[in-house]
Amino acid sequence: MLEEKNDNLSVQSNETDGNLEIESQEVIQREILQIDEAQTEPVAEVEIETIKDFKDVIDYQTIDAITAIENENAAENEDESLKERHEIPMLDYESLTMEELISELEKLSGIEKIMSVKDHIEEIKNSFLAKYYLFIEDKKEELNNENSESKDNFYYDFPLKSKFDQLYSSYRDKKNVHFKNLQNNLKNNLEIRLAIVEELKDLINPQENIKDTLKHFNELRERWKNAGPIPKDKYNHVWNNYHFHVENFYDYLHLDREARDLDFKYNLEQKLKIISRVEELIGEVDISKAFRELQDLHKIWKEDIGPVSREHREEIWNRFSELTKLMHDKRELLSEEQRSKEKENLEYKKDIISQIEVLAKEKVHSHSQWQSQINKVENLRAAFLKTGKVPAEVNVSIWNEFKTAVRNFNSFKNSFYKEIKKEQQENLIKKMELVKRAKELQLSEDFAATTPLMKKIQEEWKLIGHVPRKYSDSIWSEFKDACNHYFEVLKAQKNESNSEEIESFEKKKAYLEKLREFELIGEHKADLEAIKLHIENWKSLGKVPYTRRHIEGKFNKILDALFEKLSLSKKETEMARFSNRVGNLSESNDTRKIENEKIFIMRKIDEVQNEIFQLENNIQFFTNTKNAKKENSIVLEVRKNIEIQKETLEVWKEKLKQIRSINVES
């Protein structure tokens, strides 16, 4: 034995255990001589790929499975930190919020073996930036909505973006340092390994002592083991050439059969152990974990264990390859399930986009309806962002479709709110005019004339809609201050006159007791003049506090009783009472009550006129009949009713005339 069992690589001529199959020793020697003469590297000339040599006994799906493993091993050999990426879970970063993505980035960027998290960090970057640019578009739109005439460059201070830039920059710096060191090491290690291959070629020297040659050979193998990683695109190439020259050296030495058979036996045992372990891995629940171990077993099979005897070579390699294909198929099935889930996510995201596109065309005509539409889009957008990954080949396009749909909705919404802004600007002008009028009236001391105007201004204010938000508080404050100032002065004035009203109440209270003792003398004219004098005296006593207006009702009851005792016609009585009521309305200066009274009288006039018209139609019906030579009692009753209604109509018209004259005077 030259070294430890797992390091022995002795073979017979043209035996390669699936690594190399050489047609004849003469061909090999001729190629070596040609390479030596040309003084070129042997790599491209002598490499015969493992899988290609077995193309007749292994189907192409198996070739694909083994190729995938060899490529992965080549990458991990170049940078051993890549192995550890499998131990770090790859989350569904698209479904995380920007805050959660920052937290993950902070955690991963602190890992020392930075390349083990490269794929994770790139996924985080893509997800974060997609969400960030969408967020910035929203903020930009908000600014345009608030001030569409702004020409300034948009800038939004977003602390999370600053933190992301800081963390990603730190990761990138660490990655660049790692790459720089790695590239230097890979280059140096490649030169060392190529030099070892060259030295192996030179060992075939009949003039050298065999013991010295073996010693040199073992030193070269030890140096090879410790040479370190090389570029992944050179990995299989250089390894196959190294094995070729090692096997060629064994053939040159013509090792004794017993030593060779012991090597073959040991190597067979080791490879059977690997096969046994792969059989166990086939039943492993965690397929990803099992596949990663399979990668390691392939590396051990190739790099650490030498060849087996020719009689077992094809059989054992086929068993290993078939098991590899089974594991690869299970992994592909898992990948297919993941792809199926990604397709489901894609369909779900397409449906969300379709719903947003519908909302971008659905016309609504009020702020509340638009708020409902906006909430719907926000919910759809949140659902889109939380939905998991889609197939990589459509990821960019689906994001663009989503952003376009949201942008179209926002444009549609903005066209509505531009009209609202125009209307709000018009409302602002109207309210500014009311503020101006209120400020002009706030110092007025003509309370009788100004109070109705101030109340009217307040009513007009209520009817005007919203103004731009930035002016809303200030203009309301100006208007409220002007109104409050006026009504506070009015209240103070009322408080000053309140003592006079209380005095008037006391006088009227005393006069009311005196009036209760008044008796008519029986002469119509004198009694009527006396009642009118009482009315004038009552009015001269002035206004009473609003809360004590009940005394007016008591006075009116006494008057009604006096009018009943007078021998007046119904019309005269009614008009006398009404004159007293009109006087009270005139004193109150309550334009609303006067207007209501006027409307009531006009309505009564219409009712009486309609009644007269109906009665006159009825009388025509009876007088136009053949038997109407003599009016019967019904006709006479109708005529009498018509006369009564006409008298009533005259009373109401007289009342309207009086109320109108009072309105004109006021």
Side-chain angles (χ1 to χ4, degrees):
M1 301 298 169
L2 298 175
E3 288 187 8
E4 297 177 7
K5 291 293 183 181
N6 63 344
D7 289 327
N8 288 330
L9 301 170
S10 59
V11 293
Q12 290 179 322
S13 60
N14 80 344
E15 291 180 339
T16 60
D17 184 34
N19 292 326
L20 295 169
E21 186 170 327
I22 310 302
E23 293 181 357
S24 71
Q25 185 65 27
E26 291 180 358
V27 172
I28 295 172
Q29 296 293 344
R30 184 164 59 251
E31 289 180 349
I32 293 173
L33 291 173
Q34 289 173 350
I35 294 167
D36 289 340
E37 290 173 358
Q39 295 183 347
T40 59
E41 293 185 6
V43 178
E45 297 292 336
V46 301
E47 179 183 16
I48 302 175
E49 294 183 5
T50 302
I51 297 170
K52 194 181 294 181
D53 291 334
F54 282 90
K55 62 187 176 185
D56 295 330
V57 293
I58 304 175
D59 61 43
Y60 283 102
Q61 289 182 335
T62 305
I63 292 174
D64 290 340
I66 296 173
T67 300
I69 290 176
E70 288 197 345
N71 289 339
E72 189 73 17
N73 281 338
E76 291 181 1
N77 181 76
E78 179 183 80
D79 187 350
E80 292 185 352
S81 65
L82 291 175
K83 282 185 179 181
E84 298 184 16
R85 72 190 188 279
H86 300 302
E87 308 304 322
I88 302 170
M90 179 71 76
L91 305 181
D92 184 3
Y93 294 113
E94 277 193 18
S95 65
L96 301 184
T97 64
M98 285 191 284
E99 290 80 2
E100 291 169 334
L101 289 170
I102 289 292
S103 178
E104 286 297 314
L105 178 59
E106 188 170 19
K107 180 173 66 177
L108 294 177
S109 61
I111 292 177
E112 183 177 354
K113 294 185 177 180
I114 201 65
M115 293 305 294
S116 65
V117 293
K118 177 177 71 71
D119 295 340
H120 302 69
I121 289 180
E122 290 305 313
E123 286 284 332
I124 289 174
K125 183 189 79 170
N126 293 337
S127 298
F128 180 88
L129 291 180
K131 290 177 171 62
Y132 169 72
Y133 291 133
L134 199 61
F135 171 81
I136 288 299
E137 282 188 13
D138 288 348
K139 292 300 177 183
K140 190 172 183 178
E141 182 196 352
E142 285 180 15
L143 177 67
N144 291 335
N145 288 341
E146 291 178 2
N147 186 7
S148 58
E149 299 179 358
S150 176
K151 302 297 182 182
D152 298 335
N153 292 330
F154 176 77
Y155 173 76
Y156 186 82
D157 183 22
F158 190 49
L160 273 182
K161 178 60 164 58
S162 300
K163 188 169 185 179
F164 169 82
D165 291 340
Q166 179 185 356
L167 291 171
Y168 190 79
S169 177
S170 173
Y171 153 75
R172 191 173 53 211
D173 291 343
K174 290 171 70 174
K175 185 178 73 171
N176 290 339
V177 171
H178 174 80
F179 266 130
K180 185 176 180 180
N181 295 334
L182 180 65
Q183 291 304 315
N184 290 333
N185 291 337
L186 293 175
K187 182 180 178 182
N188 293 334
N189 293 340
L190 177 61
E191 291 175 357
I192 292 171
R193 289 186 184 275
L194 291 175
I196 292 173
V197 171
E198 289 299 316
E199 290 188 56
L200 278 174
K201 287 172 23 179
D202 294 338
L203 285 180
I204 304 175
N205 184 358
Q207 307 301 322
E208 190 175 42
N209 182 280
I210 189 65
K211 286 186 178 182
D212 294 337
T213 302
L214 286 174
K215 181 180 178 183
H216 190 186
F217 176 74
N218 288 333
E219 289 174 354
L220 290 175
R221 293 184 67 193
E222 188 64 27
R223 284 165 55 195
W224 181 269
K225 284 175 60 178
N226 299 324
I230 61 175
K232 61 184 178 182
D233 59 331
K234 306 291 185 183
Y235 175 72
N236 288 319
H237 198 72
V238 174
W239 264 100
N240 287 334
N241 277 275
Y242 169 74
H243 284 299
F244 168 77
H245 288 294
V246 168
E247 291 168 355
N248 190 51
F249 176 74
Y250 279 147
D251 291 337
Y252 168 73
L253 290 179
H254 299 292
L255 296 178
D256 64 276
R257 181 178 298 276
E258 181 182 355
R260 182 197 63 194
D261 289 345
L262 286 175
D263 274 347
F264 284 167
K265 180 181 178 183
Y266 178 81
N267 295 338
L268 178 62
E269 290 173 356
Q270 298 303 308
K271 291 189 175 182
L272 287 174
K273 287 180 181 179
I274 288 178
I275 290 173
S276 177
R277 177 55 186 159
V278 176
E279 288 173 340
E280 293 175 1
L281 292 176
I282 295 297
E284 179 69 44
V285 176
D286 189 340
I287 297 172
S288 297
K289 180 181 177 182
F291 193 82
R292 291 195 296 273
E293 186 173 342
L294 178 63
Q295 286 179 223
D296 294 335
L297 293 175
H298 264 268
K299 189 172 182 180
I300 294 171
W301 183 289
K302 176 178 180 178
E303 298 180 12
D304 297 341
I305 304 176
V308 299
S309 64
R310 187 169 187 176
E311 62 182 294
H312 299 295
R313 185 172 303 143
E314 183 174 324
E315 175 192 356
I316 198 170
W317 173 251
N318 286 343
R319 284 177 63 187
F320 187 47
S321 300
E322 287 168 5
L323 290 171
T324 297
K325 180 180 179 300
L326 285 176
M327 179 63 71
H328 187 267
D329 289 345
K330 290 186 72 174
R331 189 194 188 204
E332 283 298 302
L333 181 61
L334 178 64
S335 298
E336 185 59 37
E337 290 174 356
Q338 292 173 342
R339 286 192 289 270
S340 176
K341 178 61 179 175
E342 289 177 356
K343 289 179 181 178
E344 288 180 13
N345 293 339
L346 176 62
E347 293 305 314
Y348 183 59
K349 287 189 173 183
K350 284 183 176 180
D351 181 61
I352 290 174
I353 292 170
S354 298
Q355 293 183 59
I356 295 175
E357 289 173 341
V358 170
L359 292 173
K361 298 175 183 176
E362 192 174 294
K363 292 186 177 180
V364 292
H365 305 286
S366 70
H367 173 69
S368 60
Q369 288 177 319
W370 268 110
Q371 289 304 304
S372 174
Q373 298 291 84
I374 291 169
N375 288 336
K376 288 178 184 177
V377 171
E378 284 301 314
N379 291 336
L380 288 170
R381 187 162 75 164
F384 185 95
L385 296 175
K386 287 182 180 178
T387 303
K389 295 175 66 175
V390 300
E393 63 271 16
V394 298
N395 188 49
V396 173
S397 62
I398 202 71
W399 257 107
N400 289 336
E401 288 180 34
F402 172 67
K403 288 191 290 185
T404 300
V406 173
R407 191 179 296 115
N408 289 342
F409 172 81
N410 288 334
S411 298
F412 188 50
K413 175 193 68 177
N414 291 343
S415 63
F416 169 80
Y417 279 102
K418 282 179 181 176
E419 291 299 318
I420 292 293
K421 287 170 111 176
K422 181 180 177 183
E423 181 183 331
Q424 288 181 348
Q425 197 64 32
E426 293 172 355
N427 292 340
L428 176 62
I429 294 172
K430 292 177 183 178
K431 287 193 172 182
M432 288 174 69
E433 181 60 30
L434 291 182
V435 169
K436 180 181 177 182
R437 288 166 58 191
K439 286 184 174 181
E440 290 172 351
L441 294 172
Q442 68 178 340
L443 300 177
S444 173
E445 295 182 357
D446 185 0
F447 299 111
T450 305
T451 301
L453 292 176
M454 289 295 282
K455 289 182 177 178
K456 184 180 179 183
I457 289 173
Q458 289 178 321
E459 290 300 320
E460 288 179 16
W461 182 279
K462 293 177 183 177
L463 296 176
I464 300 174
H466 295 287
V467 300
R469 186 186 303 173
K470 62 180 178 179
Y471 300 113
S472 179
D473 291 341
S474 60
I475 196 169
W476 165 244
S477 179
E478 285 187 71
F479 181 71
K480 182 178 65 173
D481 290 346
C483 291
N484 286 348
H485 182 274
Y486 172 78
F487 285 105
E488 284 171 3
V489 173
L490 175 63
K491 182 179 179 182
Q493 188 273 339
K494 283 185 175 181
N495 289 337
E496 289 177 4
S497 62
N498 193 43
S499 59
E500 296 178 4
E501 291 179 355
I502 292 174
E503 185 179 349
S504 296
F505 173 76
E506 294 298 332
K507 289 179 181 179
K508 284 189 174 183
K509 186 177 178 182
Y511 193 87
L512 199 62
E513 293 301 323
K514 180 180 178 182
L515 185 60
R516 293 182 196 279
E517 298 173 358
F518 173 74
E519 294 288 342
L520 298 175
I521 61 175
E523 291 184 16
H524 172 77
K525 187 175 181 181
D527 287 340
L528 181 59
E529 290 298 325
I531 292 174
K532 287 182 178 179
L533 181 60
H534 281 304
I535 292 173
E536 291 300 321
N537 291 338
W538 183 266
K539 290 180 180 178
S540 68
L541 295 176
K543 292 174 66 175
V544 299
Y546 181 82
T547 56
R548 301 186 184 186
R549 292 290 299 276
H550 60 276
I551 199 169
E552 300 292 341
K554 292 180 179 181
F555 176 71
N556 289 334
K557 284 184 180 180
I558 294 175
L559 287 184
D560 288 343
L562 292 174
F563 280 123
E564 289 291 335
K565 293 177 182 180
L566 282 175
S567 55
L568 295 174
S569 67
K570 182 177 181 181
K571 178 180 178 181
E572 289 175 322
T573 303
E574 185 69 23
M575 290 308 299
R577 289 174 176 171
F578 185 72
S579 295
N580 181 55
R581 173 170 174 75
V582 169
N584 291 334
L585 287 174
S586 179
E587 281 187 3
S588 69
N589 199 29
D590 192 332
T591 55
R592 183 177 60 83
K593 287 185 178 180
I594 294 173
E595 191 65 24
N596 288 342
E597 187 72 20
K598 186 193 301 182
I599 294 171
F600 173 75
I601 294 171
M602 293 172 68
R603 189 180 296 121
K604 296 301 291 185
I605 289 173
D606 288 340
E607 289 177 2
V608 174
Q609 285 178 336
N610 289 335
E611 182 67 19
I612 293 172
F613 179 76
Q614 185 64 44
L615 290 171
E616 287 177 344
N617 281 344
N618 292 343
I619 205 74
Q620 288 178 9
F621 172 77
F622 286 111
T623 57
N624 288 337
T625 59
K626 293 180 180 180
N627 298 324
K629 294 179 180 179
K630 184 178 180 181
E631 292 184 343
N632 57 30
S633 59
I634 297 176
V635 174
L636 294 174
E637 183 67 27
V638 171
R639 289 189 184 281
K640 182 180 179 181
N641 198 2
I642 289 173
E643 291 302 319
I644 293 171
Q645 292 297 332
K646 285 183 177 180
E647 289 179 6
T648 304
L649 181 61
E650 290 301 319
V651 172
W652 283 116
K653 285 183 177 180
E654 182 65 27
K655 288 182 177 180
L656 182 61
K657 184 178 180 181
Q658 285 194 28
I659 200 74
R660 279 178 171 168
S661 65
I662 292 172
N663 191 42
V664 170
E665 291 172 3
S666 61

